[in-house]
Amino acid sequence: MGIEKPRQSWAGLLNISFGFFGIQIGFALQNANMSRVFQSLGSSIDDLPALWVAAPLTGLLVQPIIGHLSDKTWLGRLGRRRPFFLLGAVLAALSLLAMPASNVLLMAAVLLWVLDASLNISMEPFRAFVGDMLRKDQHTAGYAVQTAFIGAGAVVGSIFPYLLDHWGVANEAPLGQIPDTVRYSFWAGGLALFAAVLWTVLTTKEYSPEEMRTFGEAADAEAPTLRALADRNTGGPFWWIASGGLLALATEQWGLEKEVYLLAMLLVGYGVLSYLAIRLARAGKGANMLTAIVGDFSGMPDIMQKLAVVQFFSWSALFIMWINTTPVVAQNFFGSGDPASAAYQEGGNWVGLLFSVYNGVAAIAALTLLPLLSRRIGKARTHIACLLAGAAGFASFFIFTSAEYLIISEIGIGIAWASILAMPYAILASSLPQAKLGIYMGLFNVFVVVPQLLVATVMGSIMKAFFPDQPIWTMAFAAVTLVLAAAAMLRVKVPGE
């Protein structure tokens, strides 16, 4: 039994997660403005999901790899997680600085891919960093502070174009050009992101492998994973391959959106990699990245499996919101779906303000509402209540007729966002082996990314078939998926509650 980690002060909690403030500025600028950038460069609304596919696909590939590598890294004074914070911050800042120079759609799409990859390189280790640095009885506080910084960073990133417009910066541009409000926001965001991450790198000192052993949190967890993987039936991977093949045939037969082929390729790819990992484990080749990722994914703890279902539905709703809120608000509340019109650009700025509202609410709720509710009714019931508040927020888009009233909608969405960012991770951090915290957090991100890929590939087909030129119905889908997430949360039993 190891000794306890030292208890972190509030200053320590703030330093540990301050870098997330900058990372979320980058994500907020991306989420609130990339649909606007794409449409300004000539994309139609029907093409937006396809252009957004790069972002979640990048997270799907990058996060488990970075999680595995950060578990195995130790670079002396720079530490375990901080090298990845720094690398991702440099690349993300450069991407944000370059994005406004985009003059063709392909350039913007490529930069979105680079930006999202870079943000994921920085973000993934931050989730594990809280578990590394804090005692178990501080996990909830640690993730609450992280969520507050996420909310605060998103407020800054979301509201910046709106403020620049009110300060007289040009908010309109000819088709094929990006407005100055967006241009300057990306430049400022790149500098802020790098500075915030650098603050965490310089003000925190990670526990060395020797210190982690004294805490009883550095046991070798690879051998059980390899044994379990070697015992798996090789027939399982072929089911993944067959499922991918059937999906590709269905896409061809029914004329689905071409992006659905991407999902088919991912299913086939995972099946092939699973088969190779099982063969390597049986051959006694020892632990490697492939066997670790496949073995840990297939052998997730029960509570992680149940929370994964909750995450799947929760992030489906969020991705629907990020892709579609700008066209929904511009068309239904400002009267124009034309990206070159002043009304559309005004709607785009209002969406930035709305996004700042839900993120600001999340920052406040993380430090006030969530701790209060979790003490009284437990983490699981708190998450259920917050998810239902978000569902009500999305549903209210059909009730309100004035854009100003959508601020009320964003309050419910902000409460849900706070809980989605904090509660699942607080529940998991105390349940996962510390030696594999990075890879498990990276694998948990699969259930953040897969629903985004489904939304990006399937939602376009659904909208074309049933609701052509009526993007507001995407808000109904978002409301329903959050209700499903709340229902799935009923199956999660938190120890001690």
Side-chain angles (χ1 to χ4, degrees):
M1 183 69 179
I3 63 173
E4 283 275 18
K5 293 176 184 174
R7 189 173 184 83
Q8 290 282 349
S9 65
W10 272 103
L13 292 176
L14 296 175
N15 289 336
I16 286 168
S17 290
F18 187 71
F20 230 127
F21 172 72
I23 293 170
Q24 200 59 34
I25 289 176
F27 272 119
L29 287 167
Q30 170 184 297
N31 293 337
N33 294 286
M34 284 312 300
S35 288
R36 182 179 180 183
V37 168
F38 288 148
Q39 288 191 282
S40 295
L41 294 176
S43 170
S44 72
I45 187 172
D46 293 331
D47 292 331
L48 289 181
L51 291 168
W52 275 86
V53 162
L57 178 61
T58 300
L60 179 67
L61 299 175
V62 168
Q63 289 220 21
I65 293 173
I66 295 299
H68 173 79
L69 292 175
S70 68
D71 281 340
K72 305 298 182 185
T73 296
W74 182 256
L75 296 182
R77 294 178 63 182
L78 195 53
R80 174 181 295 105
R81 315 291 182 188
R82 289 180 298 163
F84 297 94
F85 300 166
L86 198 55
L87 173 63
V90 170
L91 295 175
L94 291 174
S95 300
L96 285 168
L97 294 175
M99 185 70 75
S102 301
N103 53 15
V104 294
L105 194 58
L106 178 61
M107 180 178 178
V110 170
L111 282 172
L112 172 62
W113 176 75
V114 176
L115 173 61
D116 204 81
S118 306
L119 291 172
N120 275 285
I121 289 170
S122 277
M123 183 186 72
E124 197 286 329
F126 263 103
R127 295 294 191 192
F129 195 49
V130 173
D132 290 345
M133 301 298 294
L134 300 181
R135 301 153 51 120
K136 289 185 178 181
D137 61 358
Q138 285 194 294
H139 283 167
T140 299
Y143 286 108
V145 170
Q146 192 172 89
T147 298
F149 275 129
I150 291 171
V155 168
V156 173
S158 297
I159 204 171
F160 214 87
Y162 179 87
L163 292 177
L164 288 176
D165 181 30
H166 280 263
W167 293 338
V169 177
N171 188 48
E172 297 176 42
L175 191 64
Q177 297 183 29
I178 299 171
D180 284 346
T181 50
V182 176
R183 192 184 302 268
Y184 297 155
S185 295
F186 274 66
W187 290 339
L191 296 175
L193 184 156
F194 180 75
V197 172
L198 188 62
W199 178 275
T200 289
V201 170
L202 295 177
T203 59
T204 56
K205 177 182 179 297
E206 296 186 68
Y207 295 119
S208 68
E210 292 74 20
E211 289 173 309
M212 294 299 278
R213 278 191 286 272
T214 67
F215 302 140
E217 295 186 348
D220 179 22
E222 297 296 347
T225 298
L226 279 174
R227 286 194 297 269
L229 186 61
D231 291 339
R232 291 186 67 83
N233 191 321
T234 53
F238 289 102
W239 282 108
W240 289 100
I241 295 171
S243 298
L246 289 173
L247 182 58
L249 289 174
T251 303
E252 176 70 23
Q253 183 69 28
W254 296 333
L256 300 179
E257 294 291 310
K258 62 183 179 298
E259 292 81 23
V260 180
Y261 284 115
L262 177 61
L263 289 176
M265 291 171 58
L266 288 173
L267 291 172
V268 172
Y270 180 72
V272 171
L273 292 176
S274 296
Y275 178 79
L276 292 175
I278 292 171
R279 299 298 300 178
L280 286 172
R282 289 183 177 180
K285 298 295 185 181
N288 55 59
M289 184 185 298
L290 179 60
T291 57
I293 292 175
V294 172
D296 288 327
F297 183 75
S298 60
M300 289 185 297
D302 181 69
I303 193 169
M304 185 173 170
Q305 294 179 34
K306 291 176 178 176
L307 281 170
V309 178
V310 179
Q311 290 290 85
F312 176 87
F313 288 118
S314 301
W315 284 86
S316 295
L318 294 170
F319 202 61
I320 288 171
M321 174 184 71
W322 290 329
I323 290 178
N324 295 289
T325 302
T326 295
V328 166
V329 171
Q331 179 173 314
N332 291 85
F333 294 90
F334 286 82
S336 177
D338 179 9
S341 69
Y344 181 94
Q345 296 298 336
E346 186 180 357
N349 279 355
W350 188 251
V351 170
L353 179 64
L354 293 177
F355 279 18
S356 72
V357 169
Y358 90 72
N359 282 293
V361 169
I364 296 169
L367 297 178
T368 56
L369 181 64
L370 296 187
L372 176 64
L373 284 179
S374 62
R375 283 195 299 269
R376 294 192 175 183
I377 63 175
K379 295 184 182 71
R381 292 188 183 92
T382 295
H383 197 39
I384 291 170
C386 293
L387 290 171
L388 293 176
F394 285 120
S396 68
F397 271 69
F398 291 87
I399 298 173
F400 297 135
T401 57
S402 173
E404 287 78 9
Y405 289 122
L406 293 179
I407 291 174
I408 299 172
S409 307
E410 298 300 320
I411 293 173
I413 294 169
I415 291 171
W417 178 230
S419 192
I420 290 167
L421 290 175
M423 284 303 166
Y425 297 98
I427 293 169
L428 277 181
S430 300
S431 307
L432 299 176
Q434 179 64 44
K436 309 190 84 169
L437 194 54
I439 192 169
Y440 273 132
M441 289 296 185
L443 290 171
F444 196 54
N445 185 63
V446 169
F447 303 99
V448 170
V449 171
V450 168
Q452 296 181 44
L453 288 172
L454 282 173
V455 169
T457 55
V458 175
M459 184 59 68
S461 297
I462 294 173
M463 294 303 295
K464 275 185 178 179
F466 298 104
F467 308 104
D469 301 318
Q470 299 179 63
I472 193 169
W473 285 100
T474 59
M475 298 297 106
F477 283 96
V480 169
T481 55
L482 280 189
V483 171
L484 292 174
M489 193 66 197
L490 292 171
R491 299 177 59 243
V492 178
K493 305 300 179 186
V494 179
E497 294 187 1

